[in-house]
Amino acid sequence: TEAETQEKDGQGDYEELMADSAAKRAADSKSLTEKESAKAETEAALERHAEDKASASKELAATLQYTQSLHAECDWLLQYHEVRKEARDSEIDALGKAKAVLSGADYSLIQRSRALRGSQ
């Protein structure tokens, strides 16, 4: 009869709907598990990158501080280059005179003549 046919069709549709729903729940559950796994991996990668960034930032700060100290040292060397050069030249000249004195040279006459010129 027609009612039995409709009931059979309805029962078939219901069973098909239940099977489709169970398959969808299984697929959704699998998808959820995969997404949670991907999220955990992404969070772990984020943590590693944050640690790497912190380490790189510390290294950058140390490098910048070292560069600044080198810059200050170079500025000092440039600022006092002439003074240091004159001091070196004076020391070299004094060492040469001391060596000459030790070798027997007599500078006393030169000093007397300078003293005599200065008093005139």
Side-chain angles (χ1 to χ4, degrees), residues 61-100:
T63 302
L64 290 175
Q65 185 177 6
Y66 178 68
T67 302
Q68 186 177 11
S69 71
L70 284 179
H71 186 65
E73 185 177 339
C74 287
D75 286 347
W76 185 89
L77 288 172
L78 287 172
Q79 182 179 0
Y80 293 105
H81 177 274
E82 287 300 318
V83 173
R84 293 173 69 231
K85 182 181 174 193
E86 289 173 11
R88 258 193 323 274
D89 289 344
S90 174
E91 186 176 352
I92 289 170
D93 185 48
L95 288 172
K97 288 179 181 177
K99 184 178 175 182

mmCIF file of all heavy atoms in Angstrom, residues 61-100:
data_model
loop_
_atom_site.group_PDB
_atom_site.id
_atom_site.type_symbol
_atom_site.label_atom_id
_atom_site.label_comp_id
_atom_site.label_asym_id
_atom_site.label_seq_id
_atom_site.Cartn_x
_atom_site.Cartn_y
_atom_site.Cartn_z
ATOM 1 N N ALA A 61 71.470 44.206 20.892
ATOM 2 C CA ALA A 61 71.775 45.243 21.888
ATOM 3 C C ALA A 61 73.251 45.212 22.263
ATOM 4 O O ALA A 61 73.900 46.261 22.369
ATOM 5 C CB ALA A 61 70.904 45.054 23.124
ATOM 6 N N ALA A 62 73.802 44.009 22.441
ATOM 7 C CA ALA A 62 75.227 43.888 22.778
ATOM 8 C C ALA A 62 76.093 44.391 21.624
ATOM 9 O O ALA A 62 77.096 45.085 21.845
ATOM 10 C CB ALA A 62 75.569 42.441 23.105
ATOM 11 N N THR A 63 75.704 44.058 20.406
ATOM 12 C CA THR A 63 76.460 44.510 19.235
ATOM 13 C C THR A 63 76.415 46.028 19.107
ATOM 14 O O THR A 63 77.435 46.672 18.824
ATOM 15 C CB THR A 63 75.906 43.853 17.956
ATOM 16 O OG1 THR A 63 75.988 42.436 18.096
ATOM 17 C CG2 THR A 63 76.694 44.278 16.728
ATOM 18 N N LEU A 64 75.243 46.610 19.321
ATOM 19 C CA LEU A 64 75.120 48.071 19.250
ATOM 20 C C LEU A 64 75.953 48.750 20.329
ATOM 21 O O LEU A 64 76.582 49.783 20.075
ATOM 22 C CB LEU A 64 73.650 48.484 19.369
ATOM 23 C CG LEU A 64 72.759 48.143 18.173
ATOM 24 C CD1 LEU A 64 71.308 48.491 18.482
ATOM 25 C CD2 LEU A 64 73.223 48.859 16.919
ATOM 26 N N GLN A 65 75.965 48.166 21.514
ATOM 27 C CA GLN A 65 76.769 48.734 22.603
ATOM 28 C C GLN A 65 78.256 48.652 22.251
ATOM 29 O O GLN A 65 79.006 49.608 22.474
ATOM 30 C CB GLN A 65 76.486 47.996 23.905
ATOM 31 C CG GLN A 65 77.185 48.596 25.097
ATOM 32 C CD GLN A 65 76.828 47.873 26.386
ATOM 33 O OE1 GLN A 65 76.149 46.865 26.370
ATOM 34 N NE2 GLN A 65 77.288 48.404 27.497
ATOM 35 N N TYR A 66 78.683 47.527 21.688
ATOM 36 C CA TYR A 66 80.082 47.376 21.291
ATOM 37 C C TYR A 66 80.432 48.371 20.188
ATOM 38 O O TYR A 66 81.494 48.998 20.226
ATOM 39 C CB TYR A 66 80.333 45.941 20.817
ATOM 40 C CG TYR A 66 81.736 45.692 20.339
ATOM 41 C CD1 TYR A 66 82.806 45.711 21.227
ATOM 42 C CD2 TYR A 66 82.003 45.460 18.997
ATOM 43 C CE1 TYR A 66 84.102 45.493 20.788
ATOM 44 C CE2 TYR A 66 83.292 45.240 18.554
ATOM 45 C CZ TYR A 66 84.333 45.258 19.449
ATOM 46 O OH TYR A 66 85.608 45.045 19.004
ATOM 47 N N THR A 67 79.536 48.530 19.222
ATOM 48 C CA THR A 67 79.765 49.490 18.136
ATOM 49 C C THR A 67 79.883 50.901 18.695
ATOM 50 O O THR A 67 80.740 51.679 18.263
ATOM 51 C CB THR A 67 78.611 49.419 17.120
ATOM 52 O OG1 THR A 67 78.514 48.099 16.618
ATOM 53 C CG2 THR A 67 78.840 50.370 15.967
ATOM 54 N N GLN A 68 79.030 51.229 19.658
ATOM 55 C CA GLN A 68 79.077 52.560 20.270
ATOM 56 C C GLN A 68 80.399 52.765 21.008
ATOM 57 O O GLN A 68 80.995 53.841 20.927
ATOM 58 C CB GLN A 68 77.904 52.732 21.220
ATOM 59 C CG GLN A 68 77.786 54.122 21.787
ATOM 60 C CD GLN A 68 76.565 54.274 22.677
ATOM 61 O OE1 GLN A 68 75.927 53.299 23.029
ATOM 62 N NE2 GLN A 68 76.257 55.490 23.055
ATOM 63 N N SER A 69 80.881 51.724 21.695
ATOM 64 C CA SER A 69 82.154 51.872 22.412
ATOM 65 C C SER A 69 83.307 52.041 21.422
ATOM 66 O O SER A 69 84.221 52.822 21.656
ATOM 67 C CB SER A 69 82.402 50.682 23.333
ATOM 68 O OG SER A 69 82.697 49.520 22.598
ATOM 69 N N LEU A 70 83.261 51.300 20.309
ATOM 70 C CA LEU A 70 84.292 51.472 19.278
ATOM 71 C C LEU A 70 84.245 52.884 18.691
ATOM 72 O O LEU A 70 85.291 53.501 18.449
ATOM 73 C CB LEU A 70 84.103 50.453 18.155
ATOM 74 C CG LEU A 70 84.527 49.021 18.432
ATOM 75 C CD1 LEU A 70 84.232 48.156 17.221
ATOM 76 C CD2 LEU A 70 86.002 48.938 18.783
ATOM 77 N N HIS A 71 83.044 53.373 18.467
ATOM 78 C CA HIS A 71 82.894 54.716 17.905
ATOM 79 C C HIS A 71 83.477 55.756 18.866
ATOM 80 O O HIS A 71 84.202 56.663 18.437
ATOM 81 C CB HIS A 71 81.411 54.995 17.649
ATOM 82 C CG HIS A 71 81.153 56.271 16.942
ATOM 83 N ND1 HIS A 71 81.573 56.499 15.654
ATOM 84 C CD2 HIS A 71 80.512 57.399 17.342
ATOM 85 C CE1 HIS A 71 81.214 57.722 15.295
ATOM 86 N NE2 HIS A 71 80.567 58.281 16.301
ATOM 87 N N ALA A 72 83.194 55.599 20.152
ATOM 88 C CA ALA A 72 83.730 56.540 21.139
ATOM 89 C C ALA A 72 85.255 56.463 21.181
ATOM 90 O O ALA A 72 85.940 57.489 21.256
ATOM 91 C CB ALA A 72 83.140 56.232 22.515
ATOM 92 N N GLU A 73 85.797 55.255 21.119
ATOM 93 C CA GLU A 73 87.250 55.085 21.134
ATOM 94 C C GLU A 73 87.885 55.719 19.898
ATOM 95 O O GLU A 73 88.909 56.404 19.992
ATOM 96 C CB GLU A 73 87.587 53.596 21.196
ATOM 97 C CG GLU A 73 89.064 53.321 21.337
ATOM 98 C CD GLU A 73 89.364 51.835 21.462
ATOM 99 O OE1 GLU A 73 88.481 51.063 21.831
ATOM 100 O OE2 GLU A 73 90.516 51.471 21.163
ATOM 101 N N CYS A 74 87.266 55.511 18.744
ATOM 102 C CA CYS A 74 87.797 56.106 17.512
ATOM 103 C C CYS A 74 87.718 57.630 17.558
ATOM 104 O O CYS A 74 88.639 58.311 17.103
ATOM 105 C CB CYS A 74 87.039 55.579 16.298
ATOM 106 S SG CYS A 74 87.438 53.870 15.899
ATOM 107 N N ASP A 75 86.616 58.157 18.096
ATOM 108 C CA ASP A 75 86.498 59.611 18.230
ATOM 109 C C ASP A 75 87.620 60.161 19.105
ATOM 110 O O ASP A 75 88.220 61.190 18.785
ATOM 111 C CB ASP A 75 85.143 59.996 18.838
ATOM 112 C CG ASP A 75 84.000 59.826 17.854
ATOM 113 O OD1 ASP A 75 84.265 59.660 16.647
ATOM 114 O OD2 ASP A 75 82.830 59.857 18.302
ATOM 115 N N TRP A 76 87.902 59.455 20.206
ATOM 116 C CA TRP A 76 88.966 59.893 21.096
ATOM 117 C C TRP A 76 90.310 59.863 20.375
ATOM 118 O O TRP A 76 91.106 60.807 20.480
ATOM 119 C CB TRP A 76 89.015 58.997 22.342
ATOM 120 C CG TRP A 76 90.008 59.472 23.349
ATOM 121 C CD1 TRP A 76 89.800 60.355 24.350
ATOM 122 C CD2 TRP A 76 91.390 59.079 23.441
ATOM 123 N NE1 TRP A 76 90.954 60.546 25.065
ATOM 124 C CE2 TRP A 76 91.960 59.777 24.528
ATOM 125 C CE3 TRP A 76 92.202 58.224 22.716
ATOM 126 C CZ2 TRP A 76 93.284 59.638 24.896
ATOM 127 C CZ3 TRP A 76 93.527 58.077 23.084
ATOM 128 C CH2 TRP A 76 94.057 58.776 24.166
ATOM 129 N N LEU A 77 90.564 58.779 19.629
ATOM 130 C CA LEU A 77 91.833 58.667 18.902
ATOM 131 C C LEU A 77 91.983 59.786 17.877
ATOM 132 O O LEU A 77 93.068 60.369 17.723
ATOM 133 C CB LEU A 77 91.942 57.304 18.215
ATOM 134 C CG LEU A 77 92.188 56.111 19.133
ATOM 135 C CD1 LEU A 77 92.080 54.807 18.347
ATOM 136 C CD2 LEU A 77 93.542 56.209 19.817
ATOM 137 N N LEU A 78 90.893 60.099 17.168
ATOM 138 C CA LEU A 78 90.958 61.178 16.183
ATOM 139 C C LEU A 78 91.153 62.537 16.857
ATOM 140 O O LEU A 78 91.910 63.377 16.371
ATOM 141 C CB LEU A 78 89.678 61.205 15.346
ATOM 142 C CG LEU A 78 89.533 60.083 14.326
ATOM 143 C CD1 LEU A 78 88.141 60.122 13.705
ATOM 144 C CD2 LEU A 78 90.594 60.189 13.248
ATOM 145 N N GLN A 79 90.477 62.745 17.979
ATOM 146 C CA GLN A 79 90.564 64.021 18.676
ATOM 147 C C GLN A 79 91.977 64.285 19.192
ATOM 148 O O GLN A 79 92.474 65.403 19.123
ATOM 149 C CB GLN A 79 89.562 64.033 19.835
ATOM 150 C CG GLN A 79 89.531 65.344 20.592
ATOM 151 C CD GLN A 79 88.501 65.308 21.712
ATOM 152 O OE1 GLN A 79 87.823 64.317 21.910
ATOM 153 N NE2 GLN A 79 88.397 66.397 22.448
ATOM 154 N N TYR A 80 92.628 63.269 19.706
ATOM 155 C CA TYR A 80 93.942 63.470 20.323
ATOM 156 C C TYR A 80 95.094 62.950 19.460
ATOM 157 O O TYR A 80 96.195 62.771 19.958
ATOM 158 C CB TYR A 80 93.973 62.801 21.709
ATOM 159 C CG TYR A 80 93.047 63.488 22.669
ATOM 160 C CD1 TYR A 80 91.842 62.909 23.022
ATOM 161 C CD2 TYR A 80 93.358 64.732 23.193
ATOM 162 C CE1 TYR A 80 90.973 63.549 23.896
ATOM 163 C CE2 TYR A 80 92.504 65.374 24.064
ATOM 164 C CZ TYR A 80 91.317 64.776 24.409
ATOM 165 O OH TYR A 80 90.468 65.412 25.266
ATOM 166 N N HIS A 81 94.854 62.760 18.169
ATOM 167 C CA HIS A 81 95.889 62.235 17.278
ATOM 168 C C HIS A 81 97.099 63.158 17.226
ATOM 169 O O HIS A 81 98.253 62.719 17.362
ATOM 170 C CB HIS A 81 95.323 62.014 15.874
ATOM 171 C CG HIS A 81 96.356 61.536 14.904
ATOM 172 N ND1 HIS A 81 97.176 62.390 14.208
ATOM 173 C CD2 HIS A 81 96.728 60.287 14.548
ATOM 174 C CE1 HIS A 81 98.007 61.700 13.450
ATOM 175 N NE2 HIS A 81 97.749 60.413 13.635
ATOM 176 N N GLU A 82 96.866 64.449 17.011
ATOM 177 C CA GLU A 82 97.982 65.402 16.889
ATOM 178 C C GLU A 82 98.763 65.505 18.196
ATOM 179 O O GLU A 82 100.000 65.535 18.183
ATOM 180 C CB GLU A 82 97.461 66.790 16.465
ATOM 181 C CG GLU A 82 97.020 66.870 15.028
ATOM 182 C CD GLU A 82 98.141 66.546 14.033
ATOM 183 O OE1 GLU A 82 99.282 67.002 14.246
ATOM 184 O OE2 GLU A 82 97.862 65.829 13.056
ATOM 185 N N VAL A 83 98.079 65.545 19.321
ATOM 186 C CA VAL A 83 98.757 65.637 20.619
ATOM 187 C C VAL A 83 99.624 64.399 20.831
ATOM 188 O O VAL A 83 100.785 64.506 21.260
ATOM 189 C CB VAL A 83 97.719 65.772 21.753
ATOM 190 C CG1 VAL A 83 98.376 65.700 23.120
ATOM 191 C CG2 VAL A 83 96.938 67.070 21.592
ATOM 192 N N ARG A 84 99.070 63.250 20.529
ATOM 193 C CA ARG A 84 99.814 62.000 20.717
ATOM 194 C C ARG A 84 100.999 61.926 19.744
ATOM 195 O O ARG A 84 102.083 61.455 20.092
ATOM 196 C CB ARG A 84 98.889 60.808 20.521
ATOM 197 C CG ARG A 84 97.832 60.729 21.629
ATOM 198 C CD ARG A 84 96.783 59.661 21.395
ATOM 199 N NE ARG A 84 97.378 58.351 21.518
ATOM 200 C CZ ARG A 84 97.258 57.385 20.604
ATOM 201 N NH1 ARG A 84 96.575 57.590 19.515
ATOM 202 N NH2 ARG A 84 97.830 56.222 20.796
ATOM 203 N N LYS A 85 100.790 62.448 18.519
ATOM 204 C CA LYS A 85 101.877 62.441 17.530
ATOM 205 C C LYS A 85 103.020 63.336 17.997
ATOM 206 O O LYS A 85 104.198 62.954 17.919
ATOM 207 C CB LYS A 85 101.345 62.917 16.174
ATOM 208 C CG LYS A 85 102.382 62.908 15.088
ATOM 209 C CD LYS A 85 101.800 63.399 13.785
ATOM 210 C CE LYS A 85 102.904 63.504 12.760
ATOM 211 N NZ LYS A 85 102.492 64.242 11.573
ATOM 212 N N GLU A 86 102.685 64.522 18.502
ATOM 213 C CA GLU A 86 103.722 65.427 18.998
ATOM 214 C C GLU A 86 104.450 64.814 20.193
ATOM 215 O O GLU A 86 105.681 64.926 20.298
ATOM 216 C CB GLU A 86 103.102 66.772 19.396
ATOM 217 C CG GLU A 86 102.640 67.590 18.210
ATOM 218 C CD GLU A 86 101.881 68.837 18.635
ATOM 219 O OE1 GLU A 86 101.894 69.181 19.836
ATOM 220 O OE2 GLU A 86 101.272 69.463 17.751
ATOM 221 N N ALA A 87 103.724 64.148 21.081
ATOM 222 C CA ALA A 87 104.351 63.518 22.246
ATOM 223 C C ALA A 87 105.290 62.395 21.796
ATOM 224 O O ALA A 87 106.392 62.247 22.333
ATOM 225 C CB ALA A 87 103.281 62.968 23.188
ATOM 226 N N ARG A 88 104.853 61.622 20.804
ATOM 227 C CA ARG A 88 105.715 60.550 20.280
ATOM 228 C C ARG A 88 106.976 61.120 19.633
ATOM 229 O O ARG A 88 108.085 60.631 19.859
ATOM 230 C CB ARG A 88 104.940 59.727 19.233
ATOM 231 C CG ARG A 88 104.418 58.428 19.722
ATOM 232 C CD ARG A 88 103.939 57.530 18.605
ATOM 233 N NE ARG A 88 103.265 58.172 17.493
ATOM 234 C CZ ARG A 88 101.968 58.462 17.443
ATOM 235 N NH1 ARG A 88 101.208 58.177 18.472
ATOM 236 N NH2 ARG A 88 101.446 59.036 16.388
ATOM 237 N N ASP A 89 106.798 62.163 18.813
ATOM 238 C CA ASP A 89 107.958 62.783 18.161
ATOM 239 C C ASP A 89 108.924 63.343 19.202
ATOM 240 O O ASP A 89 110.142 63.198 19.064
ATOM 241 C CB ASP A 89 107.499 63.902 17.215
ATOM 242 C CG ASP A 89 106.790 63.362 15.979
ATOM 243 O OD1 ASP A 89 106.910 62.137 15.702
ATOM 244 O OD2 ASP A 89 106.111 64.158 15.293
ATOM 245 N N SER A 90 108.376 63.973 20.239
ATOM 246 C CA SER A 90 109.210 64.529 21.306
ATOM 247 C C SER A 90 109.949 63.406 22.034
ATOM 248 O O SER A 90 111.148 63.534 22.343
ATOM 249 C CB SER A 90 108.330 65.310 22.281
ATOM 250 O OG SER A 90 109.082 65.728 23.382
ATOM 251 N N GLU A 91 109.252 62.303 22.302
ATOM 252 C CA GLU A 91 109.887 61.181 22.986
ATOM 253 C C GLU A 91 110.979 60.554 22.115
ATOM 254 O O GLU A 91 112.058 60.213 22.612
ATOM 255 C CB GLU A 91 108.838 60.129 23.352
ATOM 256 C CG GLU A 91 109.393 59.004 24.198
ATOM 257 C CD GLU A 91 108.319 58.028 24.631
ATOM 258 O OE1 GLU A 91 107.134 58.289 24.417
ATOM 259 O OE2 GLU A 91 108.709 56.995 25.196
ATOM 260 N N ILE A 92 110.712 60.434 20.827
ATOM 261 C CA ILE A 92 111.722 59.883 19.910
ATOM 262 C C ILE A 92 112.948 60.787 19.882
ATOM 263 O O ILE A 92 114.092 60.311 19.926
ATOM 264 C CB ILE A 92 111.127 59.699 18.495
ATOM 265 C CG1 ILE A 92 110.119 58.554 18.497
ATOM 266 C CG2 ILE A 92 112.218 59.447 17.468
ATOM 267 C CD1 ILE A 92 109.303 58.432 17.225
ATOM 268 N N ASP A 93 112.713 62.096 19.835
ATOM 269 C CA ASP A 93 113.825 63.045 19.832
ATOM 270 C C ASP A 93 114.611 62.945 21.141
ATOM 271 O O ASP A 93 115.855 62.922 21.133
ATOM 272 C CB ASP A 93 113.277 64.471 19.646
ATOM 273 C CG ASP A 93 114.389 65.491 19.517
ATOM 274 O OD1 ASP A 93 115.329 65.238 18.726
ATOM 275 O OD2 ASP A 93 114.312 66.546 20.207
ATOM 276 N N ALA A 94 113.913 62.868 22.267
ATOM 277 C CA ALA A 94 114.581 62.762 23.569
ATOM 278 C C ALA A 94 115.379 61.458 23.662
ATOM 279 O O ALA A 94 116.503 61.451 24.195
ATOM 280 C CB ALA A 94 113.556 62.837 24.692
ATOM 281 N N LEU A 95 114.830 60.368 23.155
ATOM 282 C CA LEU A 95 115.560 59.098 23.179
ATOM 283 C C LEU A 95 116.803 59.161 22.298
ATOM 284 O O LEU A 95 117.856 58.618 22.642
ATOM 285 C CB LEU A 95 114.643 57.944 22.740
ATOM 286 C CG LEU A 95 113.570 57.533 23.739
ATOM 287 C CD1 LEU A 95 112.634 56.526 23.104
ATOM 288 C CD2 LEU A 95 114.208 56.969 25.000
ATOM 289 N N GLY A 96 116.668 59.858 21.155
ATOM 290 C CA GLY A 96 117.836 60.017 20.277
ATOM 291 C C GLY A 96 118.928 60.821 20.951
ATOM 292 O O GLY A 96 120.123 60.483 20.869
ATOM 293 N N LYS A 97 118.544 61.887 21.645
ATOM 294 C CA LYS A 97 119.527 62.703 22.357
ATOM 295 C C LYS A 97 120.152 61.920 23.512
ATOM 296 O O LYS A 97 121.349 61.999 23.747
ATOM 297 C CB LYS A 97 118.881 63.984 22.893
ATOM 298 C CG LYS A 97 118.559 64.979 21.799
ATOM 299 C CD LYS A 97 117.898 66.213 22.370
ATOM 300 C CE LYS A 97 117.549 67.188 21.261
ATOM 301 N NZ LYS A 97 116.841 68.360 21.789
ATOM 302 N N ALA A 98 119.332 61.165 24.216
ATOM 303 C CA ALA A 98 119.858 60.353 25.319
ATOM 304 C C ALA A 98 120.838 59.315 24.793
ATOM 305 O O ALA A 98 121.887 59.069 25.400
ATOM 306 C CB ALA A 98 118.717 59.667 26.057
ATOM 307 N N LYS A 99 120.527 58.727 23.664
ATOM 308 C CA LYS A 99 121.425 57.744 23.059
ATOM 309 C C LYS A 99 122.738 58.417 22.664
ATOM 310 O O LYS A 99 123.825 57.865 22.868
ATOM 311 C CB LYS A 99 120.755 57.106 21.849
ATOM 312 C CG LYS A 99 121.570 56.015 21.207
ATOM 313 C CD LYS A 99 120.807 55.409 20.041
ATOM 314 C CE LYS A 99 121.656 54.398 19.317
ATOM 315 N NZ LYS A 99 120.982 53.829 18.160
ATOM 316 N N ALA A 100 122.622 59.622 22.113
ATOM 317 C CA ALA A 100 123.825 60.341 21.717
ATOM 318 C C ALA A 100 124.666 60.692 22.941
ATOM 319 O O ALA A 100 125.905 60.602 22.906
ATOM 320 C CB ALA A 100 123.447 61.610 20.949
#
